[in-house]
């Protein structure tokens, strides 16, 4: 994943738990084993990176360990180009691996994640997560996209089609009520 703030910042991950980061367009890379991060098992797969749209050094990373029978959500944040990471899973159930993460293009604190049982959102940069229940069934959400022109969240699922949350302005403005209740 390339940083939208600085084209020289790139993140790459593997399915056997290796994280690579470059801040000079690929001339030099640093490598970190996911298992060396606190709370992450050896060889956890790197599912997704979401470099911040606002800060060059901030990146979010989704990992999973389902190949070992572990469905724990591993979701992390770094604010220093991947030199250190912290777990950001408060509010997530213990058995829902994370597949994708996207950051809003207007509010840096609004993020969405796709898990095996639906979509979650945060209004505080990942510190606390809430399940999106308004019209979204608890199904595997494997891909997420924010359609910037329409301000819609588009969710690609496994076996249940595509869902679109029309207009994410309510959570962007700091209220998640519209996403927590059936409408």
């Amino acid at each position: 994943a390339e940083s939208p703030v600085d084209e020289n910042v790139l993140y790459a991950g593997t399915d056997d738990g290796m994280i690579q980061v470059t801040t000079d367009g690929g001339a030099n890379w640093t490598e970190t084993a996911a298992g060396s991060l606190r709370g992450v098992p050896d060889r956890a797969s790197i599912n997704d990176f979401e470099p911040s749209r606002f800060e060059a050094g901030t990146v979010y990373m989704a990992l999973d360990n389902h190949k070992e029978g572990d469905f724990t959500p591993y979701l992390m944040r770094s604010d220093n180009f991947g030199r250190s990471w912290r777990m950001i899973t408060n509010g997530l159930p213990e058995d829902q691996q994370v597949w994708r993460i996207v950051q809003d293009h207007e509010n840096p604190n609004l993020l969405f994640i796709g898990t095996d049982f639906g979509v979650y959102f945060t209004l505080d940069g990942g510190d606390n997560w809430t399940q999106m229940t308004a019209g979204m069934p608890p199904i595997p959400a494997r891909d997420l996209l924010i359609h910037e022109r329409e301000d819609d969240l588009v969710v690609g699922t496994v076996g249940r089609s595509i869902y679109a949350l029309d207009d994410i302005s309510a959570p962007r403005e700091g209220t998640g009520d519209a996403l927590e209740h059936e409408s």
Side-chain angles (χ1 to χ4, degrees):
E2 178 182 334
S3 168
V5 178
D6 182 348
E7 67 184 16
N8 291 307
V9 178
L10 303 165
Y11 299 91
T14 66
D15 66 354
D16 63 350
M18 298 311 295
I19 303 160
Q20 295 91 14
V21 181
T22 182
T23 58
D24 59 11
N28 298 287
W29 291 83
T30 59
E31 184 174 80
T32 304
S36 71
L37 304 177
R38 185 184 322 178
V40 178
D42 291 337
R43 299 176 43 90
S45 296
I46 314 302
N47 286 341
D48 197 18
F49 287 106
E50 176 72 0
S52 172
R53 296 168 171 262
F54 303 91
E55 299 289 332
T58 298
V59 61
Y60 303 89
M61 176 174 60
L63 307 94
D64 86 81
N65 196 37
H66 79 277
K67 293 177 185 175
E68 301 295 328
D70 176 8
F71 298 96
T72 303
Y74 298 104
L75 184 60
M76 305 190 88
R77 176 181 175 153
S78 173
D79 292 311
N80 56 11
F81 300 97
R83 287 189 292 276
S84 65
W85 296 87
R86 67 181 172 96
M87 200 70 73
I88 54 169
T89 56
N90 189 42
L92 296 178
E94 294 180 10
D95 63 349
Q96 293 192 32
Q97 62 192 12
V98 179
W99 293 105
R100 294 289 174 260
I101 183 166
V102 294
Q103 182 181 44
D104 183 38
H105 56 280
E106 290 186 20
N107 180 347
N109 292 315
L110 176 60
L111 298 126
F112 297 90
I113 59 171
T115 74
D116 266 346
F117 294 96
V119 176
Y120 288 76
F121 68 97
T122 181
L123 300 172
D124 55 17
D127 290 333
N128 299 285
W129 294 91
T130 302
Q131 187 169 17
M132 185 178 89
T133 56
M136 184 71 201
I139 57 175
R142 289 290 183 98
D143 207 359
L144 302 173
L145 171 84
I146 295 176
H147 189 284
E148 291 184 24
R149 186 188 74 212
E150 301 297 325
D151 281 337
D152 295 344
L153 175 68
V154 182
V155 181
T157 71
V158 174
R160 292 287 299 266
S161 189
I162 295 173
Y163 287 81
L165 173 64
D166 186 32
D167 188 7
I168 60 171
S169 62
R172 180 180 292 144
E173 295 164 6
T175 172
D177 293 344
L179 300 177
E180 294 179 51
H181 304 291
E182 197 69 38
S183 50

